[in-house]
Amino acid sequence: VEIYSLHVDCKVTSRFAHTVITSRIVNRANESQEATFEVELPKTAFITNFSMSIDGEVYPGIIKEKTAAQNEYDSAVSQGQSAGLVKITDRKLEQFHVSVSIAAASKVTFQLTYEELLKRQLGKYELLIKVRPKQLVKHFQIDVHIFEPQGIHFLETDSTFMTNELTEALTKVQNETKAHILFKPTLDQQKKNSELDETLLNGDFVVRYDVKREATAGDIQIVNGYFVHYFAPQEMPVFPKNVIFVIDRSGSMTGRKIEQTRDALLKILQDLRQEDHFSFITFNNKVVEWKSSLLPATEENVASAAALVQTLTARGGTYISGALLAAVGVLEKAEGLPEQSVSMIILLTDGQPTSGERNVEVIQENVQKAINGKYALFCLGFGFDVSYKFLEKMALSNGGIARRIYENADAALQLQGFYQEVATPILMQIEMQYPENSIEGLTKNNFKLFFEGSEIIVSGKISNELDFLPVEIKAQSHMSNFTLKEEANVKEKEQVFQNQKYIFGNFIERLWAYLNIQQLLEEAISAQEEDQKALEAQALDLSLQYSFLTPLTSMVVTKPQQQEELANKPTEAG
């Protein structure tokens, strides 16, 4: 079975990426064979389309509501047939896998489409394309078109498998607002060496870029009555932070995990700013406060904390509840903290609560009551023995986020990377305001914190014939409260995209739907049961209307001889 053509075609329009992967396979044997299509795509993406065509006959994938699809599938198929077409493979990726039997000398074309909104982290967007054909491919190409009306500030490509020969197959053309990247290696360039038919193409192909930012109140773009507003202020003073690190040192952290935690904490301590205050709480079945109060991040205090970190060892149980409540207690009674500052608790744990209060719902409730909206709680789950659902709900209920730390060689870097994302809060209480009577379906428009290097995105539908869309941004910076105002000329903005030949027409509408679904699903995690159902129902409607494979939908993949398989989107919480 030979893959004779593999094309990855990606169009990024104003951070919204639309990727189509087409694989053409021929069976050169004289009997029927299994042809397999295996693609790794970013977890943050939603699959929107899949089809295979075999000898001119097209078999589409159809997106349906999950339970309905499951019932249909169960009745059509005898139990026990596997339906796991999509599974998480890596901390950034999930894998879509389909195989079909094709007759001798037959051809099959697989095509998969997925979409995602690129998220700005630490000052750049990252488009990740996983390349793993597992064989030499006669016609192989990756074709990326980027159009950013704000202008491209910088653009770089990076790959884990590049050689000097392969670099010759890469071309990059860019002007003020557009970039085109083409990677088209010949068969010879793909080979590990001239004797063997082994491919070099195995790993990540990454495009990183950022856009220019002129306007103070961000940038507004409008297509077909839908708008998107990007806001990422720069060069503003940083709020001092009051951080408590709550570190699990129970028995299961023994060995590499505690070593990696020590390495990461030593680096993070070096990154604290002088105006920050910090403290440590470590816990197993006992909770130990390093100091009874927060200390300023002077050289001396940082050195003394580093000495403590060096001695961290792991044994005993996991008293999560006691440790978090102790952290809140330290923040509550803290004195002499800078008036304008941001307080946060960063929890790192690798297990379930086994000491003290063990009921996760009670822990969530007690922690939320204690924090009472005053501090942000970030939860890092180390490995796969944690209840990620519990950590995610607790973080989202308290103005933070959860992240899984994968037990790889780079775990210390993952921890540091996470800390860098939250290390520089520059705005608080951000409100993005639009004319109420002219906008429908507005996505989330107020945010507790804004960290340098990230981006706020708000999208909505302009409901009546507006000539100008006025926006107002209110926020607190370290120095003052401020208001920014901007007015977008609707006709002019619509014009920007009219003459772009490779833009997929209603991309802002799809971006709006994608953002809405992501936010509704996230909100549902920390909502009460009745609200949860309503939020999920809204997300489901949008998923079906815009044909997105989300955790609430399934894709029914039809095959020859009336065979069916189901594709479901996995989530980090399982």
Side-chain angles (χ1 to χ4, degrees):
V1 175
E2 177 199 331
I3 303 174
Y4 62 92
S5 163
L6 183 58
H7 281 204
V8 179
D9 183 40
C10 182
K11 295 180 170 59
V12 184
T13 311
S14 186
R15 347 288 197 248
F16 196 59
H18 174 90
T19 304
V20 182
I21 297 176
T22 311
S23 171
R24 299 176 199 278
I25 297 177
V26 58
N27 177 7
R28 298 212 185 278
N30 47 18
E31 57 186 13
S32 60
Q33 299 267 1
E34 280 286 291
T36 298
F37 176 66
E38 201 172 83
V39 169
E40 286 181 272
L41 61 142
K43 284 179 184 174
T44 42
F46 290 148
I47 290 172
T48 68
N49 210 340
F50 171 71
S51 68
M52 45 190 173
S53 39
I54 304 169
D55 299 332
E57 180 89 32
V58 178
Y59 299 89
I62 295 152
I63 290 180
K64 298 187 173 177
E65 190 265 326
K66 203 174 205 167
T67 14
Q70 191 63 51
N71 294 344
E72 241 173 81
Y73 177 74
D74 289 344
S75 59
V77 177
S78 60
Q79 293 296 333
Q81 215 171 331
S82 90
L85 299 184
V86 191
K87 60 175 194 283
I88 288 179
T89 50
D90 170 295
R91 68 167 188 275
K92 288 185 180 173
L93 298 162
E94 60 191 33
Q95 182 195 71
F96 177 84
H97 175 109
V98 148
S99 52
V100 64
S101 172
I102 51 169
S106 269
K107 289 180 176 174
V108 56
T109 300
F110 294 104
Q111 191 167 68
L112 181 76
T113 306
Y114 61 84
E115 293 178 342
E116 68 174 318
L117 183 56
L118 302 181
K119 192 175 171 190
R120 188 166 184 254
Q121 277 177 318
L122 302 173
K124 44 185 173 285
Y125 306 98
E126 183 178 279
L127 177 72
L128 170 61
I129 296 168
K130 191 74 175 183
V131 179
R132 201 184 294 184
K134 297 182 182 168
Q135 56 171 271
L136 299 173
V137 178
K138 191 174 179 185
H139 303 287
F140 179 93
Q141 77 173 41
I142 295 176
D143 200 8
V144 179
H145 283 276
I146 297 173
F147 174 53
E148 287 290 349
Q150 280 171 265
I152 294 169
H153 172 55
F154 80 88
L155 176 104
E156 60 185 29
T157 56
D158 188 11
S159 151
T160 54
F161 53 77
M162 270 305 165
T163 58
N164 290 343
E165 284 74 46
L166 282 174
T167 312
E168 291 167 18
L170 180 67
T171 54
K172 207 164 69 172
V173 182
Q174 93 184 68
N175 63 18
E176 188 66 18
T177 57
K178 290 182 206 157
H180 178 210
I181 295 149
L182 180 64
F183 178 56
K184 200 173 177 179
T186 61
L187 278 172
D188 283 344
Q189 287 170 322
Q190 293 172 41
K191 285 183 181 177
K192 268 190 183 167
N193 59 39
S194 48
E195 282 78 70
L196 293 172
D197 278 353
E198 271 184 47
T199 178
L200 284 164
L201 306 183
N202 181 2
D204 300 346
F205 184 84
V206 182
V207 180
R208 292 190 192 89
Y209 73 95
D210 197 15
V211 300
K212 292 180 176 162
R213 293 184 171 76
E214 308 292 331
T216 48
D219 191 80
I220 293 172
Q221 294 168 21
I222 302 172
V223 171
N224 298 342
Y226 283 82
F227 80 90
V228 60
H229 184 185
Y230 296 107
F231 180 53
Q234 287 160 300
E235 290 160 16
M236 298 192 81
V238 176
F239 280 105
K241 306 188 290 303
N242 314 310
V243 196
I244 299 190
F245 297 97
V246 181
I247 306 297
D248 182 343
R249 55 184 182 89
S250 59
S252 51
M253 287 285 287
T254 305
R256 200 155 162 215
K257 282 197 231 173
I258 200 83
E259 279 167 35
Q260 290 174 318
T261 302
R262 284 197 300 253
D263 291 348
L265 288 173
L266 291 171
K267 295 274 191 340
I268 288 170
L269 283 168
Q270 295 309 313
D271 288 344
L272 287 170
R273 296 162 182 268
Q274 290 227 306
E275 59 275 17
D276 291 341
H277 284 68
F278 75 105
S279 191
F280 274 95
I281 288 177
T282 60
F283 68 96
N284 44 24
N285 39 334
K286 294 196 180 67
V287 174
V288 178
E289 294 179 16
W290 171 53
K291 300 282 187 228
S292 55
S293 62
L294 287 127
L295 298 186
T298 60
E299 248 177 85
E300 198 180 334
N301 288 336
V302 166
S304 145
L308 162 90
V309 167
Q310 301 278 22
T311 65
L312 276 183
T313 54
R315 58 176 162 283
T318 312
Y319 189 10
I320 293 179
S321 166
L324 285 174
L325 296 174
V328 176
V330 173
L331 283 168
E332 287 288 301
K333 58 176 197 275
E335 288 167 1
L337 299 179
E339 238 174 73
Q340 287 271 338
S341 58
V342 172
S343 297
M344 53 175 81
I345 297 168
I346 298 179
L347 166 72
L348 172 69
T349 178
D350 76 331
Q352 314 271 2
T354 61
S355 304
E357 179 58 67
R358 292 174 198 189
N359 180 327
V360 291
E361 277 155 19
V362 175
I363 297 175
Q364 281 161 351
E365 208 172 305
N366 292 345
V367 168
Q368 196 172 346
K369 239 185 237 155
I371 289 181
N372 196 12
K374 287 179 286 198
Y375 321 119
L377 170 63
F378 297 97
C379 296
L380 303 178
F382 207 145
F384 282 86
D385 297 332
V386 290
S387 163
Y388 190 80
K389 217 171 183 161
F390 157 60
L391 295 179
E392 188 174 39
K393 181 170 181 174
M394 204 157 52
L396 291 171
S397 308
N398 295 290
I401 56 171
R403 183 80 51 90
R404 194 189 294 279
I405 301 297
Y406 280 68
E407 290 181 56
N408 300 343
D410 70 344
L413 286 173
Q414 293 174 55
L415 287 165
Q416 268 168 267
F418 171 79
Y419 172 75
Q420 282 166 346
E421 284 174 49
V422 299
T424 46
I426 56 176
L427 293 180
M428 294 203 296
Q429 311 304 345
I430 306 106
E431 287 181 39
M432 314 280 283
Q433 297 175 341
Y434 308 87
E436 271 175 31
N437 50 1
S438 326
I439 301 293
E440 287 172 21
L442 192 63
T443 60
K444 182 177 171 175
N445 67 328
N446 43 47
F447 305 86
K448 271 193 168 168
L449 289 170
F450 175 78
F451 298 100
E452 193 172 23
S454 65
E455 181 169 56
I456 283 176
I457 305 176
V458 181
S459 182
K461 186 179 179 181
I462 302 171
S463 52
N464 52 22
E465 295 296 311
L466 277 189
D467 293 332
F468 291 92
L469 174 64
V471 305
E472 191 169 288
I473 301 173
K474 293 182 171 169
Q476 291 174 21
S477 77
H478 184 37
M479 295 309 179
S480 63
N481 292 357
F482 65 84
T483 301
L484 299 171
K485 291 183 180 183
E486 181 85 33
E487 219 175 31
N489 180 325
V490 175
K491 290 221 169 16
E492 261 176 40
K493 290 284 180 190
E494 289 258 14
Q495 217 41 57
V496 175
F497 294 98
Q498 299 294 326
N499 38 22
Q500 294 310 322
K501 61 180 185 303
Y502 57 75
I503 301 311
F504 44 109
N506 56 351
F507 89 93
I508 293 186
E509 184 177 344
R510 294 195 67 81
L511 180 160
W512 166 82
Y514 171 96
L515 189 58
N516 238 323
I517 294 167
Q518 294 278 29
Q519 291 178 353
L520 288 163
L521 291 172
E522 191 169 287
E523 232 182 294
I525 291 168
S526 57
Q528 299 299 321
E529 204 172 325
E530 310 78 79
D531 300 341
Q532 200 169 19
K533 287 198 167 63
L535 292 163
E536 285 181 349
Q538 268 179 281
L540 173 63
D541 280 350
L542 286 167
S543 304
L544 292 170
Q545 191 183 339
Y546 290 93
S547 172
F548 283 128
L549 178 60
T550 67
L552 303 171
T553 51
S554 286
M555 184 163 68
V556 181
V557 175
T558 51
K559 291 181 170 186
Q561 282 98 43
Q562 274 77 51
Q563 270 190 314
E564 282 190 357
E565 282 196 90
L566 276 197
N568 290 324
K569 183 171 180 65
T571 63
E572 198 62 79

